[in-house]
Amino acid sequence: MIAAIGRTFREGVEEVGRAGGFVAESAGASRDLRTWLPRVTMHARMLGVDSLPIALFIALFTGIVLALLASYSITGAVPLYFVGTLVEKTVTMELAPVLTGLALAGRVGANIAAELGTMRVTEQIDALETLSYDPYAYLVVPRVIAGTVMFPIVVGLAMVVGVTAGWVASVLLLDLSSPDFVKGLRLFFTAFDIRYGLVKSASFGAAVTLLGCMTGMRAEGGAEGVGQAATRAVVYSAITILVLDAFWATVWLLGKSR
Amino acid sequence: MKRTNDFVVGLTIVLGTLTIIGTTLWVKQTDLRNKHDRITARFRDVGSVRVGAAVVLRGVEAGRVQRIELGRDGWVEVTMALDQNVPLPTNPVVLLNESSLFGEWQATITDESAMPRDEAVSRQIADARKDAGELLPGATLPDIAQLTAVAGRIAGDVASVASRVEVAFDDQAARELRGSIKNFATLSAALAQTVRVQSGNLDKLSADMRLGMNRLAGSAETVQRVAERIDSSTATGEVRRIVSDVAIAAAQLKEASEEVRTMSKQLGRSQGRLESLLSSTGSVMDKINAGQGSVGLMVNDPRLYRNSDSLVTELRSLVQDFKANPKKYVNVRVF
């Protein structure tokens, strides 16, 4: 049992070490602009633009449900225009980044892990190395750059759609006028709300793509290994998104409230 | 394909960025066209007012708080963007106050005369007005936490008083209170009766007063007529003559009073003599009554009376005899 504990600890440290080494290799490969820059837009379209429908769909229904939930929770002396405040704060600061991040973790993370895992098990990555291509510069860096840039764009649009959906739902389904919703929306709005959500989503994008690339490039053992890599990518991405969410809240919100 | 990707991604980034920035500016109500009037007020403390808070004029939202910055000498300067052509009050001051129970604050522009009658607020305004230049004076009203603290203190005091009353108000006190109330009821009834009576008296008095007023009015008319006569008399010189006659009469009266004074002095002296005379007479009468002296003896001794009476009788017969026979008593001889 003690040996098992020691082995688990050693494997954990090795995993952290490998992840650190992967990140360091990727950072080093980012200097090879000629290799990764032409491929960024392609990955940006696949990871970002093509993810817009699912992200906006999630935001649309999140906004509607949130408005109804807020009106259900707000009773008694609390004025109903706080629905606008609640929708704005929760969508921009939490739900749009996290829900979009989780959705893209499943879509993008699994996609990257499966793609790179297949390349690994079919020795295409070895072939790239043979052709003097840096696989990090060719495969990892453009995906990470694209994810880091496009996640905030997708999340930003999801914010707008989510708040708009909450607004429309409040006007149509609740006894709340449009000016009242806007009053609540503007009541405690600050640019920081947007900044916080976008920075957080950029970190989610970097984390999801890095984890997808890392698990994919370490895939082994054929189709089964590819499947396991895709699964690990989604699980690790989801966990990392939640950990980063707590990290930003602790570092940024806690510091700001003081 | 590559060009298509570049275009689609570029378009998405541009549109997404513009959408986010535009939405943020719209929600923040940023004044891009600079079509607002700006005023700045200074405060010692701005409470929980934030950039974007509403600026209210006569209960209507007329702008937003645009900037809050620390000024010199411990002031905080708040710049507000007002809708164009909004007329300010004659003597404007800015009050920062909570607009709801949920932490919302607003800046209220009002005339100084319409400020709440609060000593602390007036002091803040007076302080902010000194050497303010073009800055408006501002004051911060207490927030709900401060008001709650005061209310809590008052509630504590009330509870303390209530507990003291509870201690003091026992059965005995209740009985006494009941008796007092009964007495008070009796007193009230008596008072009501008195009021009824006095009301009648007052009615009568008021009627009398009305009558008196009427008479006074009549008197006033009479006085007015007299005054008119006096006016006319003054005009014809009668008054001067009357005054002259009065002066003469006064002089004569003075002389008469001098004579009266002399007479009264003489009367005083006569009175002294008379008193002396009466005293002497009293003394004589006392002696007579006491039977002293000849008169006393005559008055008090009946024998003397009888002797005198007998003497008179004898004298009367003697006179008769003398008249009848004068020669018996008078013997005139010539030579």
Side-chain angles (χ1 to χ4, degrees):
Chain A
M1 181 180 168
I2 293 174
I5 294 172
R7 188 171 59 250
T8 306
F9 177 74
R10 180 178 51 79
E11 287 174 355
V13 171
E14 284 176 358
E15 193 70 26
V16 171
R18 275 197 294 272
F22 184 84
V23 171
E25 287 280 356
S26 302
S30 65
R31 286 176 296 188
D32 188 3
L33 280 174
R34 282 187 301 178
T35 303
W36 63 262
L37 195 58
R39 300 177 59 81
V40 168
T41 52
M42 181 186 73
H43 291 296
R45 179 168 184 177
M46 282 197 305
L47 304 181
V49 179
D50 293 349
S51 299
L52 272 175
I54 182 67
L56 300 186
F57 185 80
I58 291 171
L60 179 76
F61 284 91
T62 302
I64 294 171
V65 171
L66 198 59
L68 300 178
L69 192 64
S71 73
Y72 169 76
S73 304
I74 292 173
T75 56
V78 183
L80 198 58
Y81 60 76
F82 271 91
V83 169
T85 307
L86 201 64
V87 168
E88 181 269 315
K89 287 289 178 191
T90 48
V91 166
T92 56
M93 297 185 75
E94 187 63 24
L95 291 184
V98 172
L99 288 185
T100 306
L102 289 174
L104 297 194
R107 184 181 180 280
V108 173
N111 177 284
I112 293 173
E115 189 177 343
L116 296 191
T118 303
M119 289 178 73
R120 169 62 73 189
V121 297
T122 55
E123 298 180 346
Q124 292 179 54
I125 294 176
D126 297 332
L128 283 173
E129 288 176 345
T130 305
L131 294 170
S132 300
Y133 275 100
D134 182 356
Y136 289 95
Y138 191 80
L139 299 175
V140 177
V141 173
R143 286 178 170 83
V144 173
I145 297 288
T148 306
V149 171
M150 290 309 288
F151 261 51
I153 298 294
V154 174
V155 168
L157 291 172
M159 288 176 184
V160 175
V161 169
V163 172
T164 307
W167 182 359
V168 173
S170 299
V171 173
L172 295 181
L173 303 177
L174 304 175
D175 188 19
L176 182 64
S177 66
S178 189
D180 275 349
F181 183 90
V182 174
K183 178 186 177 183
L185 177 69
R186 288 172 169 165
L187 197 58
F188 292 106
F189 174 80
T190 59
F192 170 79
D193 300 350
I194 302 289
R195 199 163 60 241
Y196 177 76
L198 295 183
V199 169
K200 202 159 69 171
S201 62
S203 70
F204 293 167
V208 166
T209 47
L210 267 173
L211 287 167
C213 292
M214 190 171 70
T215 52
M217 288 185 73
R218 284 166 51 196
E220 52 189 23
E224 187 182 351
V226 173
Q228 286 176 351
T231 305
R232 274 200 301 272
V234 172
V235 172
Y236 290 168
S237 296
I239 292 172
T240 306
I241 284 172
L242 297 177
V243 170
L244 280 174
D245 190 35
F247 167 78
W248 285 117
T250 308
V251 170
W252 215 348
L253 290 185
L254 206 60
K256 195 171 180 65
S257 64
R258 286 172 185 167
Chain B
M1 183 67 185
K2 190 178 176 185
R3 287 177 62 84
T4 307
N5 286 338
D6 290 348
F7 177 75
V8 170
V9 170
L11 184 66
T12 305
I13 290 175
V14 169
L15 286 181
T17 306
L18 288 179
T19 304
I20 294 167
I21 292 173
T23 307
T24 304
L25 293 178
W26 176 75
V27 174
K28 280 174 68 72
Q29 295 179 289
T30 306
D31 180 21
L32 291 178
R33 295 178 191 172
N34 200 23
K35 57 178 182 180
H36 286 90
D37 297 330
R38 282 171 181 73
I39 58 171
T40 303
R42 66 176 188 173
F43 305 83
R44 283 295 180 199
D45 188 292
V46 294
S48 298
V49 167
R50 295 181 301 106
V51 171
V55 177
V56 175
L57 184 65
R58 294 196 293 276
V60 179
E61 191 174 312
R64 320 288 301 176
V65 171
Q66 193 177 50
R67 190 168 61 245
I68 301 173
E69 55 193 2
L70 293 174
R72 287 181 298 180
D73 302 327
W75 292 102
V76 182
E77 295 180 357
V78 177
T79 302
M80 290 158 280
L82 294 180
D83 298 340
Q84 276 188 324
N85 301 322
V86 171
L88 293 178
T90 310
N91 195 10
V93 297
V94 182
L95 302 176
L96 302 180
N97 59 291
E98 279 185 312
S99 57
S100 77
L101 296 174
F102 304 99
E104 301 165 62
W105 280 67
Q106 66 182 19
T108 304
I109 301 175
T110 184
D111 194 84
E112 188 169 3
S113 61
M115 266 187 351
R117 302 285 173 224
D118 184 87
E119 190 181 337
V121 174
S122 302
R123 201 163 46 241
Q124 288 182 61
I125 291 293
D127 187 28
R129 194 183 290 286
K130 288 177 192 167
D131 305 324
E134 293 183 351
L135 303 181
L136 297 182
T140 307
L141 300 185
D143 62 10
I144 193 68
Q146 292 170 296
L147 295 176
T148 307
V150 173
R153 199 162 58 244
I154 292 171
D157 294 343
V158 170
S160 172
V161 170
S163 66
R164 289 178 187 173
V165 168
E166 191 177 356
V167 169
F169 197 76
D170 54 2
D171 290 345
Q172 177 66 24
R175 279 195 295 276
E176 289 174 356
L177 185 61
R178 195 178 300 127
S180 299
I181 291 170
K182 198 177 290 179
N183 292 340
F184 189 71
T186 309
L187 183 63
S188 298
L191 198 59
Q193 177 64 24
T194 305
V195 167
R196 272 196 297 277
V197 171
Q198 293 304 324
S199 176
N201 292 340
L202 277 174
D203 289 344
K204 187 172 179 303
L205 186 62
S206 66
D208 292 345
M209 279 189 69
R210 198 175 299 117
L211 183 62
M213 291 300 291
N214 291 336
R215 288 181 178 169
L216 274 173
S219 301
E221 288 177 2
T222 306
V223 169
Q224 191 175 1
R225 281 197 298 276
V226 169
E228 288 170 357
R229 285 183 191 170
I230 288 172
D231 283 346
S232 62
S233 301
T234 307
T236 56
E238 282 183 22
V239 170
R240 191 176 300 144
R241 197 163 55 249
I242 291 168
V243 170
S244 172
D245 293 347
V246 167
I248 295 167
Q252 291 174 348
L253 198 60
K254 190 177 178 184
E255 288 176 9
S257 70
E258 287 293 330
E259 289 176 2
V260 166
R261 193 178 294 118
T262 308
M263 285 174 67
S264 73
K265 283 179 184 174
Q266 290 173 352
L267 277 174
R269 285 195 295 271
S270 301
Q271 184 184 3
R273 289 172 188 164
L274 188 59
E275 283 176 354
S276 174
L277 178 63
L278 287 174
S279 175
S280 303
T281 307
S283 173
V284 170
M285 292 305 290
D286 288 343
K287 287 179 180 176
I288 289 171
N289 286 334
Q292 294 177 359
S294 303
V295 178
L297 289 173
M298 283 178 69
V299 170
N300 294 314
D301 192 351
R303 285 178 305 176
L304 187 58
Y305 171 73
R306 279 191 297 273
N307 291 338
S308 298
D309 190 50
S310 170
L311 179 61
V312 169
T313 304
E314 286 176 0
L315 276 173
R316 191 174 296 129
S317 62
L318 180 61
V319 168
Q320 283 175 354
D321 188 49
F322 181 78
K323 285 179 179 175
N325 301 300
K327 293 179 179 176
K328 187 180 175 181
Y329 299 96
V330 179
N331 189 10
V332 180
R333 290 179 181 174
V334 183
F335 310 109

mmCIF file of all heavy atoms in Angstrom, chain A residues 40 67 105 126 139 190 193 231:
data_model
loop_
_atom_site.group_PDB
_atom_site.id
_atom_site.type_symbol
_atom_site.label_atom_id
_atom_site.label_comp_id
_atom_site.label_asym_id
_atom_site.label_seq_id
_atom_site.Cartn_x
_atom_site.Cartn_y
_atom_site.Cartn_z
ATOM 1 N N VAL A 40 -2.604 29.269 -38.475
ATOM 2 C CA VAL A 40 -3.434 29.778 -37.367
ATOM 3 C C VAL A 40 -4.868 29.997 -37.801
ATOM 4 O O VAL A 40 -5.813 29.582 -37.123
ATOM 5 C CB VAL A 40 -2.825 31.075 -36.796
ATOM 6 C CG1 VAL A 40 -3.821 31.756 -35.853
ATOM 7 C CG2 VAL A 40 -1.558 30.781 -36.043
ATOM 8 N N ALA A 67 -33.021 34.424 -16.744
ATOM 9 C CA ALA A 67 -34.009 35.473 -16.473
ATOM 10 C C ALA A 67 -35.198 34.913 -15.693
ATOM 11 O O ALA A 67 -35.660 35.518 -14.707
ATOM 12 C CB ALA A 67 -34.480 36.091 -17.787
ATOM 13 N N ALA A 105 -14.586 22.598 -24.692
ATOM 14 C CA ALA A 105 -13.663 21.556 -24.214
ATOM 15 C C ALA A 105 -14.066 20.209 -24.799
ATOM 16 O O ALA A 105 -13.200 19.409 -25.209
ATOM 17 C CB ALA A 105 -13.675 21.488 -22.687
ATOM 18 N N ASP A 126 5.996 11.461 -36.299
ATOM 19 C CA ASP A 126 7.379 11.047 -36.503
ATOM 20 C C ASP A 126 7.848 11.442 -37.904
ATOM 21 O O ASP A 126 9.005 11.849 -38.098
ATOM 22 C CB ASP A 126 7.494 9.522 -36.335
ATOM 23 C CG ASP A 126 7.121 9.102 -34.916
ATOM 24 O OD1 ASP A 126 7.313 9.927 -33.988
ATOM 25 O OD2 ASP A 126 6.594 7.987 -34.714
ATOM 26 N N LEU A 139 1.994 21.702 -35.061
ATOM 27 C CA LEU A 139 0.710 21.165 -34.606
ATOM 28 C C LEU A 139 0.155 21.874 -33.366
ATOM 29 O O LEU A 139 -1.054 22.093 -33.269
ATOM 30 C CB LEU A 139 0.868 19.659 -34.285
ATOM 31 C CG LEU A 139 1.289 18.764 -35.439
ATOM 32 C CD1 LEU A 139 1.531 17.346 -34.962
ATOM 33 C CD2 LEU A 139 0.224 18.763 -36.528
ATOM 34 N N THR A 190 -20.017 47.222 -14.975
ATOM 35 C CA THR A 190 -18.728 47.894 -15.161
ATOM 36 C C THR A 190 -18.002 47.174 -16.289
ATOM 37 O O THR A 190 -18.276 46.003 -16.582
ATOM 38 C CB THR A 190 -17.848 47.841 -13.896
ATOM 39 O OG1 THR A 190 -17.619 46.464 -13.573
ATOM 40 C CG2 THR A 190 -18.508 48.532 -12.722
ATOM 41 N N ASP A 193 -16.549 43.690 -15.731
ATOM 42 C CA ASP A 193 -17.320 42.448 -15.908
ATOM 43 C C ASP A 193 -16.940 41.774 -17.229
ATOM 44 O O ASP A 193 -16.697 40.559 -17.287
ATOM 45 C CB ASP A 193 -18.823 42.752 -15.904
ATOM 46 C CG ASP A 193 -19.279 43.386 -14.604
ATOM 47 O OD1 ASP A 193 -18.481 43.412 -13.648
ATOM 48 O OD2 ASP A 193 -20.435 43.861 -14.548
ATOM 49 N N THR A 231 -10.838 11.162 -24.544
ATOM 50 C CA THR A 231 -11.566 11.207 -23.275
ATOM 51 C C THR A 231 -10.785 11.991 -22.233
ATOM 52 O O THR A 231 -11.343 12.842 -21.518
ATOM 53 C CB THR A 231 -11.818 9.772 -22.775
ATOM 54 O OG1 THR A 231 -12.495 9.035 -23.792
ATOM 55 C CG2 THR A 231 -12.634 9.775 -21.499
#
